[in-house]
Amino acid sequence: MSEYVHEMSAREDEILRSLREETAALPAGRAMQVMAEEGQLLALLARLTCARTVLEVGTFTGYSTLCLARAVAPGGRVITCDITERWPSFGVPYWRRAGVLDRIDLRVGDASDTLAMLLLDEGPGSVDFVFIDADKTNYPKYYEAGLALLKDNGLIVVDNTLFFGKVADPAAQDADTDAIRRFNTFLREDPRVDISLLPMADGITLVRKKCPAEPPC
């Protein structure tokens, strides 16, 4: 079934496919990169929300960055954060080939520090769309910072919320799995947002920031 879905849905061009193949050859590359269908979904969501400023926490080799940069509204940008330049450097030539290098603002360093600086420099509500796909134990920090930066009615997409299916396995008690379980529970109870956890790829949770005076459904 997954092969059929890929065949009928994915529209991966030569640039994206080449970046995917180069990434797959890296250590843990296949496990860490987003699926083609997921990258396509991110681009669709960014276009649906008319996002001009996108924040990405976790660049890796920049596949999702490229998808989002192609999707931002005219004059838009993707601010993408990674702890090291090592992995994003693989994506730079592909960003250039796709003609979106000037739309991508790579910030290297601790993501918590980067997000705090963005909040100071650009203020609350300055971001239209957030994609979180980084170290799992810090998801709550990235989420809270992203929510502060996000405009009302903006969208956060959180990756790996099923975490290889381990979240449903009581025997899986490693730190990352436990962190995702706790985060999922927190999201379920967060009254500030609407959510939907999709059983796609490794689990994708869509989070809409409610407006302050919004009536309950």
Side-chain angles (χ1 to χ4, degrees):
M1 182 64 72
S2 61
E3 291 180 1
Y4 179 81
V5 171
H6 178 84
E7 182 181 352
M8 293 295 104
S9 175
R11 294 178 172 179
E12 190 176 49
D13 66 9
E14 188 274 331
I15 297 175
L16 285 169
R17 185 168 56 253
S18 296
L19 176 53
R20 171 176 300 286
E21 290 171 354
E22 183 172 354
T23 301
L26 298 173
R30 289 185 182 275
M32 292 181 64
Q33 68 179 350
V34 301
M35 294 175 60
E37 294 89 339
E38 183 177 358
Q40 190 168 309
L41 175 62
L42 289 171
L44 175 62
L45 292 171
R47 290 190 176 101
L48 283 171
T49 55
C50 300
R52 286 178 56 87
T53 301
V54 171
L55 172 63
E56 179 182 50
V57 185
T59 313
F60 193 39
T61 62
Y63 186 97
S64 53
T65 316
L66 174 52
C67 293
L68 289 165
R70 283 175 160 177
V72 291
R77 60 178 175 151
V78 176
I79 304 168
T80 185
C81 314
D82 209 273
I83 193 65
T84 175
E85 290 184 7
R86 179 185 181 189
W87 304 121
S89 66
F90 285 90
V92 171
Y94 296 94
W95 301 344
R96 183 178 292 111
R97 283 175 57 192
V100 297
L101 185 60
D102 61 335
R103 303 179 201 172
I104 298 171
D105 179 1
L106 173 63
R107 308 286 182 99
V108 176
D110 185 285
S112 294
D113 294 338
T114 299
L115 298 178
M117 187 60 67
L118 281 172
L119 188 59
L120 183 64
D121 291 345
E122 309 209 10
S126 56
V127 169
D128 304 303
F129 185 103
V130 179
F131 178 48
I132 300 174
D133 183 16
D135 53 300
K136 310 313 169 193
T137 55
N138 281 315
Y139 266 24
K141 291 182 181 179
Y142 303 149
Y143 172 73
E144 289 296 341
L147 196 64
L149 283 160
L150 190 67
K151 71 176 184 180
D152 293 339
N153 205 38
L155 184 67
I156 298 178
V157 181
V158 187
D159 200 15
N160 304 119
T161 47
L162 293 180
F163 206 58
F164 308 105
K166 293 167 67 176
V167 290
D169 180 4
Q173 294 296 327
D174 59 280
D176 284 343
T177 302
D178 184 60
I180 293 295
R181 282 198 196 103
R182 290 174 181 271
F183 180 69
N184 287 342
T185 300
F186 171 79
L187 277 185
R188 185 188 63 194
E189 305 300 329
D190 188 354
R192 300 170 295 177
V193 298
D194 296 318
I195 68 164
S196 181
L197 198 169
L198 307 179
M200 174 186 181
D202 193 29
I204 303 168
T205 300
L206 307 183
V207 183
R208 185 188 74 93
K209 183 178 181 179
K210 294 180 180 179
C211 301
E214 186 171 316
C217 294

